Amino acid sequence: MTDFICPEFSELDQELKDDFYGSTQEAIELMDGCIDRLAVESNAEDLNELFRSMHSVKGNCNMVFIAPVVEALHELEEIVTDIRDNRYAYHPSYGEFCQAVIHETDEVLRDLMNTDCASQTLLDQLEKLISTVHQTQDDEQRLHIVQCATNAIMKGHFSLQQSLDKYQQQLEQEQNLTEPSQEGDSADEIPSSIDFFRQLAEGAHEIDPWRVIRLERTISLCNDLNKIFGSPVDTEQLLAAVYVHEFTMNMIPREILEKADKLDEKETRVVRKHVDMGAGLLRQVPGFVEASEIIKCHHEQINGEGYPAGKEGDSRSFGAVILAMAETFISITSDRPDRPYKKTLLTAVREINNAKGTQFSAEHVEGFNELIKKSYIAQARW
């Protein structure tokens, strides 16, 4: 691996370096916000702001003599310019690619701040991916390229060809992951119970149709997480927990569920009742003790700040972890009545990773990241 140094930058006063890095972080945060909003609706205002923020990152680096980063980001800025000038339409995948590149570049800048040297190899790899996207003329092919390029960055191998080679195989894996398990179908009471739980969840959508897509995504993500962890949870138990959890969430008054401001103490108690309600309902049906425990413990946290027991450490079953992780992730990435836009997949990934050590263990986060990198980024499944 080849590193680079920037002697003129190294000689700058530390206060000036700190000012540069702080300003760059502000620009990156503005970019993230633009990309979040553009994931919902492409508009000229956010595209212009995205361009200005990216130009600020590049301009800041130029001002403090970090030429290798300026060169690496040149064509990324041109991609945003092409979209802004209507040479081709914006797609959320372009935003996710920009985020992936910029946050890798931020790692380079952080290394430069701390050690006065950083990876030229990484910048060269990023620049090659950016150039391939920029030079692709066909709109459909470019979109496919940018999705695979993002996957290559997220996986850390930075090889577009490797991502392209695995694309067909990943499509087959996606189909296998989303097929419902046939295990247990020979037992009459299990399918009939599951059908009842499904009807509860779907019936609740007559009250709140916003949650229809959430239910589908929750089931898919829970099944995928279960498989990535080695299928430790019985699929019927996990499905029952998802259905009943969906039903009990719809029992929360809409004015509380959709409240944009922080909940008060009374409203918090109302929301937390869904845990006892769901666990209690499942305990009434023979054979669903595991599903009951999944719901009962899915809001516990390893830092002891969860509920209902508030125990420190992670004594939750994998099923409870899977439901908690899916609920957290989908809540972030879904449209909601209490906010005007949903957040992007990569923003949600960062928030899940920020919960490591508090809500989730390192093992849980590692498995989650593996799933997102392998099955969701390259295939644009979200």
Side-chain angles (χ1 to χ4, degrees), residues 91-105:
H91 186 280
S93 293
Y94 292 120
E96 291 171 0
F97 177 65
C98 288
Q99 280 185 313
V101 170
I102 289 298
H103 286 281
E104 286 294 331
T105 305

Side-chain angles (χ1 to χ4, degrees), residues 169-219:
Q169 179 183 352
Q170 290 170 332
L171 288 177
E172 294 174 3
Q173 290 175 346
E174 178 186 14
Q175 171 136 14
N176 292 334
L177 283 170
T178 55
E179 287 179 356
S181 172
Q182 299 300 315
E183 298 175 7
D185 283 353
S186 59
D188 292 340
E189 70 277 6
I190 299 299
S192 62
S193 297
I194 287 293
D195 188 56
F196 168 67
F197 298 143
R198 177 183 57 79
Q199 290 174 11
L200 285 178
E202 292 179 350
H205 295 149
E206 298 295 329
I207 303 172
D208 189 358
W210 162 66
R211 299 185 69 91
V212 174
I213 295 177
R214 278 183 58 108
L215 175 61
E216 296 174 356
R217 289 180 171 179
T218 302
I219 293 171

Side-chain angles (χ1 to χ4, degrees), residues 315-346:
S315 58
R316 294 172 295 179
S317 68
F318 256 109
V321 172
I322 287 170
L323 179 58
M325 192 165 279
E327 183 183 25
T328 300
F329 182 75
I330 292 171
S331 178
I332 293 169
T333 56
S334 295
D335 294 307
R336 290 171 49 169
D338 60 337
R339 66 171 181 236
Y341 63 91
K342 64 181 178 180
K343 298 184 179 181
T344 65
L345 183 148
L346 288 178

